[in-house]
Amino acid sequence: MLRRQPMKHKWYGYTGRHIRIDLTNKKIDIEENNPEIMTSYVGARGIGIKYLSDEMDPQADALSEENKFIFATGPLTGFPPAGNRCYVVTKSPLTGGIANSSVGGYFGVELKLAGYDFIIIEGKSEKPVYIWIDNEHVEIRNAEHLWGKGTEETEKMVLAETDSYAHVAEIGPAGENMARVANVITGGVTAARAAGRGGHGAVLGSKLVKAVAVRGTRGIQVSDPKAFKSSYWKFMDYWKNPTPTCVKGLSDHGTISVVAWANDLGILPTRNFQTGVNENASKISGELFEQKYSIKKGAQPGKACFACPAACSRMGRVDDPGFEGASEGPEYESVASMGSVTGMDNLALVMKAIRMCNDIGVDTISTGVTFGCAMELFEKGYLPEKDAGYDLKFGNGEAMLDLIPKIGRREDFGRLLGEGSYRLAEHYGHPELSMTVKKQEFPNYDPRGVKGQALAYATNNRGADHCRAEVNCSEMFECTMLGYWSPEKDVDPLAIEGKAAMTKHYQDYAAWAFDSVGMCYFLLMEALEQDLADYLESVTGLDFGGLDGLMKAGERIFTLDRLFNLKAGLTGKDDTLPDRFLKEPMPEGPIKGQVVELDIMLPEYYKLRSWDEQGVPGSDKLQELGLET
Amino acid sequence: MLRRQPMKHKWYGYTGRHIRIDLTNKKIDIEENNPEIMTSYVGARGIGIKYLSDEMDPQADALSEENKFIFATGPLTGFPPAGNRCYVVTKSPLTGGIANSSVGGYFGVELKLAGYDFIIIEGKSEKPVYIWIDNEHVEIRNAEHLWGKGTEETEKMVLAETDSYAHVAEIGPAGENMARVANVITGGVTAARAAGRGGHGAVLGSKLVKAVAVRGTRGIQVSDPKAFKSSYWKFMDYWKNPTPTCVKGLSDHGTISVVAWANDLGILPTRNFQTGVNENASKISGELFEQKYSIKKGAQPGKACFACPAACSRMGRVDDPGFEGASEGPEYESVASMGSVTGMDNLALVMKAIRMCNDIGVDTISTGVTFGCAMELFEKGYLPEKDAGYDLKFGNGEAMLDLIPKIGRREDFGRLLGEGSYRLAEHYGHPELSMTVKKQEFPNYDPRGVKGQALAYATNNRGADHCRAEVNCSEMFECTMLGYWSPEKDVDPLAIEGKAAMTKHYQDYAAWAFDSVGMCYFLLMEALEQDLADYLESVTGLDFGGLDGLMKAGERIFTLDRLFNLKAGLTGKDDTLPDRFLKEPMPEGPIKGQVVELDIMLPEYYKLRSWDEQGVPGSDKLQELGLET
């Protein structure tokens, strides 16, 4: 049991403490947070980049002892509605820049209730370990017996050894073997939630950390209970009165309903993004899932995350040998990447592939898109069949099912697949066929049909990504978030005017709101920014400077991510898209003929950010944000 | 693995199957439900009494091999919102009549997803066992190593031996030792939910069944998904727009807020119901809990039951040796029984006592009221100190904390306490001091201040009870349920006019709705009856005859419970209240001077039910309900 010092500051919303685990020296410390850092960086993603850039050299190898790994909650984690997010922040072995990923479920809530806002893991263990946190008790435990196990088995074994009421985050074999597309899973396969993007699993694997288990029954306090309750009902109200196409769809059908939707808009990435129209979309659709594979046919939800009225997740099952039992999802991004990008047209195979990815612990987006890339390389004759070991044409789901476990074991062609599509395509001399930004694979909205999102893809600090600025919410989902779209006022997804400002606004808002407060952003889609600011201040009792101060905090977080990337060696040249989106017009469908006019949007965006033409923030801006060095 | 036969009927809402476990012959069968029985008895409580009265002799000893024990879900169990109820039905060792209790959490949902609507447990095992249901796999396992363990430890051990994602219902030592106030717990102490009333734990104990563990990943289907979704949003809407005093209070403060409320109305049972005004109410109040013991100060919820937007439960902690860690609740009924009825004025002690009750597995209402009875016997000089072993005056919490484990072990004075207050008071020659109906202890609304509820107490088949007809919801909670109360139209809790009809209506509605559909009745409080009928038909695709047919089903279920009681030997003479409520005017407070005019209400009630003056249903009525023999 660790001695916790009395705290200097009285904390609300936050617990006020964090754990530092030095694996090299087997040293565990409990430290009090600095209130000034919390108001400047809010929590979760913000706190992660602040500590990471203060404490490590961005040029260090992501898989070396010098990298650090941070699990961080936000001040609203643990509170309803939907305060269930935990962030993982580290230097990415995939992009070489900042990696931050968010995960729902219950892990972050448990950490918070154990009395900690975040955990900093540093150094490297000599042998496989897992970390067991039971309120005051923090322990580094041997994990040799868990090494090599899938996520589901790992989680169950850890629960059996610790406390069946604990929650666990773990890596699979892919993380152990440092595949650059490896992720961190909580909930095993059955209730899988992934901190998916950027290769976090490989970093934990490099440190020989198999899992972190937490049991928390300590308290958290609200500063102003009356204001908190009024905020609670306000957010429930946002949930109750959604615009039909956005929030309501999440609860009615889950995210998989987006398959049909994206296909109708002509932006469903198909066969490595060669087209946005998939003639087989109905074979991997939400409707088919509902009919054939959902374990609650005609009814939602599956397993909800903590305190979530949306319950967007589903559970499905495919009753084939080796796949007995239900498993989480599938989610839209997983289905589109593993199904449409690879040209698969068999939802049962797609579901099996996703389940295998969750068990070996790899990001379904990066893995699916890497398969898509390998298939295009194969079909174009750049990838020899003897290397792949399979007739790797688009749609060969059987080959995928064979190859996924090999990614986990880093075996045969699985080794190259685990490196991600950029390294794969480069290996075969055709990096232009890698659908990536900053070496990270695209999510599933073809940028040619959502121009603001395209700019966000190009400029998001963690690479091609839809969560750090969901401009597409306004462009395709009729989401009232941030006020760009309203029932009276449409947003033209193909227009480029105003998209630079929109992208900047979304990025800064996401940085403090979606990514740092700890509430799931699906619940924030219809909410007014001011209401979230009020909620945050009523819970924490801290002065963030109101909405203006928080938007400034968002810009600060985004910019600090950028500075980390620049110091790590990335440059303005990395703010780009594959030629496929810049030069190859969409061949068919509703957005036939479209390319992304990035050359027009990017300079405008740099200017709005007060960055120079090389994409380097100006010193005035850094001073304004308190980031001058 | 059991072979499941193809089913004759296509089932929606229901899974269509149930398990029969014959402990004597170690025989397990899977049987298909009879659709006609389902439409006549709906599910859960209705199905329980139907099978129980068809299959056992009501005169059999409740603790003998001849008794049966049924776990039953309803057709809406497993569906949102709040479809989380599981019923346990058996002959009560406390009352000698029917016992049915409901429990939330996740156990019923898991059973449903395993593919079963209910389980019938019959016979008696030779040695301690637990039952493990993993979808098709149903197994009787040795439980000798679990015998004697508390509920929390039992649950954790069973989870470790089966599947950490399973859900478990278990008994504590009190059930093993057949204390008549023993209950069935799911969630251990940490997330305790109890099927509390009537001594179910003793029946499982008599059969040597320590626990039932279930893991389910099979499916359930909805008949009309479109109608289902519309119902879903309708019920969410009821939740979102509650009348301020009723539903909203559950989420804002949890049920413990009722302490202050009941005290203000002068009906908070104090010192064995000698008065309804507790001068120390503020020392056991929701406000104090919130300030000192809630693990989320100023914020809700604790641990929600499956798919519940209300999340009325709380989690609290008392940081004293032996009580480390947070535990569920406390709920109003537990606090009032263990705190106010016993004259305790220390919330920390009350919380400890409740936690101990959950761990040994006894009903907090019956246990608290039995302590209150013992204390009055003691103070009046009827119970010698050498018998009690303690100076058992009102408010002696330390004695209670010492005695509770002895109830579990059936040791010393704990043996008599475990028999319930009626047998205790009778033993000392003063049965009039037992605050019971049909030997079951009162919940915490003094009948002198809620006259309709008083009639319900007298006539509910399972004895003094607030859940089988919550007339008090209209009388004190301004609940719009069933249309008696509205913002324009008040209900006078002290009036007796119309209360017979109200009680009958509530009882019949509760029987099919609250108690048989599988949804938590807190979510139904603001809902229109017709909407629930529509919801039920859209999920199941069965024809229940609309709302009229369902109200008839409710009357059928209630009447079959009554017939079971009559055959078991109970008579109209048992439809009464202790003299305290009939003859002793409330001594103080807002309802000073009140007694219950049961002699006026009861004959009117019998007439409305078409029962004769001895409370026996007439043959026309039985014929009308299809219950003629």
Side-chain angles (χ1 to χ4, degrees), chain A residues 80 215 217-218 296 300 317, chain B residues 78 80 190 215 217 300 317:
Chain A
R215 176 70 181 133
T217 61
R218 292 289 163 193
K296 290 192 199 165
Q300 82 278 34
R317 57 181 299 145
Chain B
T190 312
R215 176 69 182 134
T217 60
Q300 83 278 33
R317 55 182 300 143

Side-chain angles (χ1 to χ4, degrees), chain A residues 78-80 106 109-110 113 135-136 151-152 155-157 159-160 163-165 167 187-191 215-226 228-229 232-234 236-242 247-248 251-253 290 294-303 306-307 309-310 315 317 319 324-326, chain B residues 78-80 106 109-110 113 135-136 151-152 155-157 159-160 163-165 167 187-191 215-226 228-229 232-234 236-242 247-248 251-253 290 294-303 306-307 309-310 315 317 319 324-326:
Chain A
F79 296 101
Y106 294 82
V109 178
E110 205 72 46
L113 287 176
N135 290 313
E136 290 76 10
T151 57
E152 176 107 345
E155 185 153 317
K156 289 187 171 182
M157 287 173 75
L159 287 171
D163 183 321
S164 46
Y165 298 153
H167 285 98
V189 165
T190 311
R215 176 70 181 133
T217 61
R218 292 289 163 193
I220 35 177
Q221 295 195 31
V222 165
S223 170
D224 182 345
K226 214 175 138 195
F228 166 81
K229 275 166 193 164
Y232 170 79
W233 286 105
K234 201 172 271 178
M236 289 295 279
D237 204 34
Y238 283 129
W239 173 247
K240 184 54 200 60
N241 300 306
V247 176
K248 199 157 183 168
S251 138
D252 279 359
H253 308 289
E290 179 78 0
S294 168
I295 74 161
K296 290 192 199 165
K297 290 186 179 50
Q300 82 278 34
K303 295 231 157 189
F306 168 76
M315 290 191 84
R317 57 181 299 145
D319 276 315
E324 289 82 6
Chain B
F79 296 101
Y106 295 82
V109 178
E110 204 73 45
L113 288 178
N135 290 312
E136 291 76 9
T151 58
E152 176 108 346
E155 185 152 318
K156 288 187 172 182
M157 287 173 76
L159 286 172
D163 183 321
S164 46
Y165 298 154
H167 284 97
V189 165
T190 312
R215 176 69 182 134
T217 60
R218 292 287 162 195
I220 34 177
Q221 295 194 33
V222 165
S223 169
D224 181 344
K226 215 175 139 195
F228 166 81
K229 275 167 194 163
Y232 169 80
W233 285 105
K234 203 173 269 179
M236 289 293 280
D237 203 34
Y238 284 129
W239 173 249
K240 182 55 201 58
N241 301 304
V247 175
K248 199 157 183 170
S251 135
D252 280 359
H253 309 290
E290 179 79 359
S294 168
I295 74 161
K296 290 192 203 168
K297 291 186 178 54
Q300 83 278 33
K303 295 231 158 190
F306 168 76
M315 289 192 86
R317 55 182 300 143
D319 276 314
E324 289 82 6

